[in-house]
Amino acid sequence: MKKNLSVSTNNKLISSAIEYVRELFAGNSDGHGFDHAMRVYRNAVTIADGEECDATVVALAALLHDADDPKIFDTRDNANARTFLDDAGVGPETAERVIRAINSVSFSKNRGKTPETAEGRIVQDADRLDAIGAVGIARTFAYGGANGRSLDESVKHFHEKLLLLKDMMNTETGRRLAAVRHSFLEAFLRELEEETGEKR
Ligand code: NI
């Protein structure tokens, strides 16, 4: 049975999640903030359309996936995500599925294993898509600038991580979208080589 509950039926819930995340990340601009959460949410909704899944769990997990990122927040047991889910009156079963999807995407909690649930696999693809393509390039150099990385060091990150992501996608739609963004990364590196006369 296709259990793809429409996100639009839960519009109120989703918009309050968006507001919660906006406030949570207020003042944070290191690339893991509100804009990132919104892009991951949009990617996740697109991918969920072609998958058997609970679209509400996907949407909430995408919006909240970095709500307890240890690089930004000092929380235990997904406290920020749980606060929203409790306050919004999301039932315990759905809340657990959201938390499970979030934790299966977190590298530190999951050590790179493929998420066990469809919702986790979708959000992971959505998060990975945001690391590649034009947005991925912008994020890499924004992070590099903020952390004193040279151009060469940022480009190294393309080879060590970004160019590997297209072969790590879980879903059909994720693979298709990643292929487009991957070509854009390759085009960027070719143009950079052309302009600098240096192969990287
Ligand atoms: Ni993320």
Side-chain angles (χ1 to χ4, degrees):
M1 189 192 69
K2 193 160 164 85
K3 195 185 173 197
N4 198 337
L5 304 174
S6 166
V7 171
S8 60
T9 59
N10 277 303
N11 252 338
K12 253 192 162 153
L13 179 60
I14 302 304
S15 38
S16 58
I18 291 171
E19 283 319 303
Y20 180 77
V21 172
R22 189 199 303 277
E23 278 177 35
L24 198 61
F25 287 113
N28 191 303
S29 62
D30 79 337
H32 256 87
F34 176 67
D35 295 348
H36 168 66
M38 286 304 289
R39 290 191 302 265
V40 172
Y41 163 66
R42 287 188 56 223
N43 293 342
V45 169
T46 304
I47 297 170
D49 213 33
E51 301 292 315
E52 269 189 40
C53 64
D54 183 328
T56 300
V57 170
V58 168
L60 292 176
L63 286 167
L64 295 165
H65 84 280
D66 282 331
D68 294 280
D69 183 338
K71 290 193 290 299
I72 311 172
F73 304 105
D74 185 23
T75 53
R76 295 282 171 278
D77 193 27
N78 304 91
N80 285 338
R82 286 185 193 282
T83 297
F84 171 77
L85 296 167
D86 287 352
D87 291 354
V90 172
E93 199 208 325
T94 301
E96 279 319 307
R97 295 178 69 198
V98 172
I99 298 295
R100 195 169 168 210
I102 291 172
N103 289 345
S104 69
V105 172
S106 151
F107 186 81
S108 60
K109 287 190 174 137
N110 207 41
R111 294 280 146 217
K113 271 189 289 158
T114 302
E116 282 170 11
T117 65
E119 290 79 11
R121 289 190 290 273
I122 291 167
V123 176
Q124 185 174 67
D125 275 9
D127 195 28
R128 284 174 171 168
L129 280 174
D130 203 52
I132 53 179
V135 152
I137 294 170
R139 285 178 70 197
T140 301
F141 287 106
Y143 180 88
N147 290 279
R149 275 188 187 169
S150 68
L151 176 71
D152 275 350
E153 285 167 328
S154 285
V155 171
K156 211 169 137 210
H157 181 67
F158 281 61
H159 293 285
E160 287 172 352
K161 185 174 173 207
L162 307 191
L163 292 168
L164 311 180
L165 290 176
K166 83 163 172 34
D167 292 326
M168 296 167 69
M169 305 302 284
N170 304 306
T171 65
E172 200 51 50
T173 309
R175 266 188 290 281
R176 186 167 50 75
L177 297 173
V180 177
R181 293 180 184 216
H182 183 86
S183 312
F184 193 77
L185 291 184
E186 289 182 324
F188 174 80
L189 290 175
R190 278 196 302 275
E191 179 65 17
L192 191 65
E193 187 186 332
E194 185 74 25
E195 293 180 14
T196 61
E198 265 179 78
K199 176 127 187 93
R200 288 189 175 85

